[in-house]
Amino acid sequence: MPIAFWGLVLAYVAVAINTTVASVALPPISKALVVNSEQLTWIVNCTPLAASAFMLFGGHWASQYGFRRILVIGLSILTVSAVGASMVVDVNTLIAFRTFSGFGSALVMPSALVLAYQVVDESRRRTAIGLVTAAQAIGGLLGPLLAGYLITTVSWRAALLSVAPLLLVSILIVYSEIPKRAGPKGEKRTFDQIGAALTALFGTSSLLFMVNLTNASANQFIFFSSIGIAVLSLITLVVHEARCSNPLFQFKQLRKRTFLVPTGINWIVQLVYGGMIFLNMQYLQLVVGLSAFTAALLVVAATFVWILCSSFSGVLSKRIGSYRLAMLGLLTASLGYGLIGFAGVTPNPIVLTLGFILSGSAGIEPAVMVHGVLASYDEDQRSFGASLNAMVMRYGLSTGIALSGVVLSGNLSRMMSETLSRLGESAKLNATGSIGGAFRVADSLPFNERNTLIEAAKVAFVDGYREFYILAIVLYMLAFFVLLMQSKGGRRLTSTIGRQLSIHSPFRR
């Protein structure tokens, strides 16, 4: 692969690191700053959400003003955001910088993906896409390691800053190795800005509604207005797309099986991954009691397997078939999720490690499915295809983070009500907002009450942790069934069942 390709891979690594470092830093942040449950979720969620909202615009701007130019602007925004986030003194400013970094990611991801597709020979494109998707897992590996080490030895602020040097190196490689006018030629179609804005509004308001589900009574205005805006924007989007002469969503594309199936499975995989980002580090550090670096080392096993699966997916899919390989990955990952989700407050180290290793086989899915999505587009529309795919994946990530936060907060409030009955209202809100908040409240209590609150918080967290992984397994089995029905064997089975039902039907004449 050319040097330019590795500069683009580094850009994807940096984006993934920027996403994951915040999740590792959640426990120390929740202890250092006054953070409620919604703010804790937004620290992690605002980055992928902002990326989702602007992803389509990022792809359009890249095709209009140059892929390299937009890529460098996005990398620069990420650098500034990392520096700013490391210097904040309150949680709202931290969320603002993390949101700004999401905007930078929206500029980077479509441009980097299209350029990675273009700068390699056609015979190597399948492998190149596998390596690019593996780069996200590499970032998922390096992010926890860097953050865990820096949190243990320096501070959580250093962890948020750690991505800046990688971003600077990526900028230098892109500037020196990629021509100014690199990228697919001839993409001149009109961009449906109203459709893109309505899509972003629908996604943002939907997630805002989901985040506020657990505190609907306290935030009634935000709760009802967000769901109202979501419904209204969705209806307006459908009406607009039906009347638009050049709609954002081409219905002929949306009807393609080669587009729908990979896109839906990518969304499911990213949803589960988002929940894991939000929950795993809190579980390993605050429930199991591992240090940030030790917890990161445990997650490395899963990420390393993810990288291997992504890297070799191109070769393996040629030998055994893309759908068969994807179904195998779903089954193996589901087994790992079962071992992780049911590990409990005092897990068996071997079983827990095995669960994380098996969960890494989910890395097969993005590599196989992203290639399918890009291949379903004509070359002059591939920029939009890359943007749409990246947007769907980021919305999936955001949905997973929001959903896991809702499940966790609901469990903390429900299962800790008796333990918190003797505390003041302010202490109750802090203790049920996050497990880190419960630990912070416990530090101000007498010894016996402190231990009681901490143990209750651990049990409540583990219960929500298990519920999320049960949901993950259900979603993966749904994806497995869809792939089975789309495979040759599944279609033959469906046809056979249909013929038998027709033959033995009591209504047959």
Side-chain angles (χ1 to χ4, degrees):
M1 297 294 180
I3 295 176
F5 173 78
W6 296 112
L8 300 169
V9 167
L10 187 60
Y12 254 76
V13 170
V15 168
I17 290 177
N18 182 67
T19 301
T20 55
V21 291
S23 64
V24 184
L26 280 182
I29 289 174
S30 64
K31 290 182 179 181
L33 305 176
V34 178
V35 185
N36 59 37
S37 58
E38 289 84 5
Q39 290 171 326
L40 191 70
T41 304
W42 283 120
I43 290 173
V44 180
N45 212 359
C46 62
T47 301
L49 179 58
S52 304
F54 289 98
M55 197 70 70
L56 295 178
F57 290 99
H60 170 67
W61 292 332
S63 64
Q64 291 292 109
Y65 304 112
F67 287 85
R68 191 187 78 158
R69 178 183 297 174
I70 296 300
L71 177 59
V72 171
I73 292 174
L75 292 171
S76 301
I77 289 174
L78 281 167
T79 305
V80 172
S81 301
V83 174
S86 67
M87 301 171 64
V88 300
V89 294
D90 66 272
V91 67
N92 290 325
T93 308
L94 174 60
I95 292 173
F97 274 114
R98 296 289 299 168
T99 303
F100 192 47
S101 74
F103 175 66
S105 299
L107 301 184
V108 169
M109 294 185 69
S111 300
L113 185 58
V114 171
L115 289 173
Y117 199 86
Q118 293 294 131
V119 299
V120 301
D121 296 334
E122 185 175 355
S123 61
R124 294 186 177 184
R125 284 178 175 175
R126 188 183 294 270
T127 300
I129 296 301
L131 290 172
V132 170
T133 55
Q136 297 184 73
I138 293 173
L141 182 151
L142 293 177
L145 281 177
L146 283 173
Y149 177 76
L150 291 172
I151 290 169
T152 303
T153 58
V154 187
S155 70
W156 59 267
R157 298 180 184 278
L160 296 180
L161 183 62
S162 61
V163 72
L166 293 176
L167 291 165
L168 293 175
V169 173
S170 180
I171 291 173
L172 290 175
I173 294 177
V174 169
Y175 249 119
S176 61
E177 298 294 331
I178 297 181
K180 288 183 178 181
R181 300 188 181 278
K185 304 298 188 294
E187 185 173 347
K188 299 297 184 181
R189 73 188 189 95
T190 305
F191 179 63
D192 181 12
Q193 299 188 52
I194 296 177
L198 288 171
T199 302
L201 184 61
F202 169 70
T204 303
S205 55
S206 299
L207 288 170
L208 185 61
F209 164 75
M210 187 178 297
V211 169
N212 284 277
L213 276 175
T214 53
N215 289 321
S217 58
N219 302 311
Q220 290 188 13
F221 176 76
I222 297 178
F223 179 79
F224 288 108
S225 61
S226 60
I227 187 60
I229 293 173
V231 172
L232 183 61
S233 59
L234 178 60
I235 294 173
T236 307
L237 176 63
V238 172
V239 173
H240 170 75
E241 292 295 290
R243 297 181 176 181
C244 184
S245 59
N246 191 13
L248 184 69
F249 301 102
Q250 301 288 339
F251 289 109
K252 66 176 183 178
Q253 181 71 24
L254 296 178
R255 287 195 296 266
K256 289 182 179 178
R257 175 175 56 87
T258 53
F259 172 82
L260 283 176
V261 172
T263 301
I265 292 177
N266 270 339
W267 183 82
I268 289 175
V269 171
Q270 291 299 313
L271 183 150
V272 174
Y273 184 57
M276 294 174 67
I277 287 176
F278 184 72
L279 294 175
N280 279 344
M281 280 300 169
Q282 295 185 74
Y283 170 71
L284 294 174
Q285 292 182 55
L286 299 178
V287 176
V288 181
L290 302 179
S291 68
F293 185 66
T294 306
L297 288 176
L298 183 58
V299 176
V300 162
T303 310
F304 183 68
V305 175
W306 183 295
I307 294 169
L308 290 178
C309 290
S310 295
S311 300
F312 290 101
S313 61
V315 176
L316 293 175
S317 63
K318 290 180 180 179
R319 294 186 177 182
I320 66 176
S322 297
Y323 281 5
R324 290 180 181 176
L325 181 64
M327 287 189 287
L328 178 62
L330 291 170
L331 287 176
T332 309
S334 296
L335 178 59
Y337 294 158
L339 296 178
I340 297 171
F342 288 87
V345 177
T346 55
N348 183 301
I350 297 177
V351 174
L352 188 63
T353 303
L354 179 61
F356 275 102
I357 290 174
L358 294 177
S359 71
S361 61
I364 292 172
E365 314 309 315
V368 173
M369 299 303 157
V370 168
H371 180 271
V373 170
L374 290 182
S376 69
Y377 278 92
D378 297 332
E379 182 176 351
D380 65 341
Q381 294 185 359
R382 200 159 282 146
S383 173
F384 173 76
S387 303
L388 183 60
N389 176 76
M391 182 194 73
V392 169
M393 293 177 72
R394 287 301 170 184
Y395 270 131
L397 195 69
S398 299
T399 303
I401 295 170
L403 187 61
S404 60
V406 168
V407 172
L408 178 59
S409 181
N411 274 67
L412 289 173
S413 299
R414 183 178 68 256
M415 298 184 66
M416 293 173 60
S417 58
E418 183 177 347
T419 306
L420 298 171
S421 59
R422 295 184 299 273
L423 300 179
E425 194 63 31
S426 176
K428 289 181 182 179
L429 290 175
N430 287 329
T432 56
S434 66
I435 187 172
F439 277 43
R440 187 173 63 249
V441 171
D443 289 339
S444 64
L445 300 177
F447 180 77
N448 291 336
E449 294 184 19
R450 178 169 68 248
N451 287 344
T452 300
L453 178 57
I454 289 176
E455 291 304 315
K458 288 182 178 181
V459 171
F461 184 96
V462 167
D463 189 72
Y465 192 66
R466 180 173 58 251
E467 288 181 6
F468 177 81
Y469 274 103
I470 291 173
L471 175 62
I473 294 172
V474 171
L475 290 174
Y476 268 39
M477 289 302 96
L478 175 63
F480 177 88
F481 179 77
V482 170
L483 285 176
L484 178 63
M485 292 298 100
Q486 295 296 327
S487 65
K488 292 182 179 179
R491 290 198 295 271
R492 285 197 300 266
L493 177 62
T494 303
S495 179
T496 301
I497 293 174
R499 285 196 303 269
Q500 294 299 317
L501 289 175
S502 176
I503 292 172
H504 297 94
S505 172
F507 301 102
R508 183 173 179 266
R509 294 181 180 181

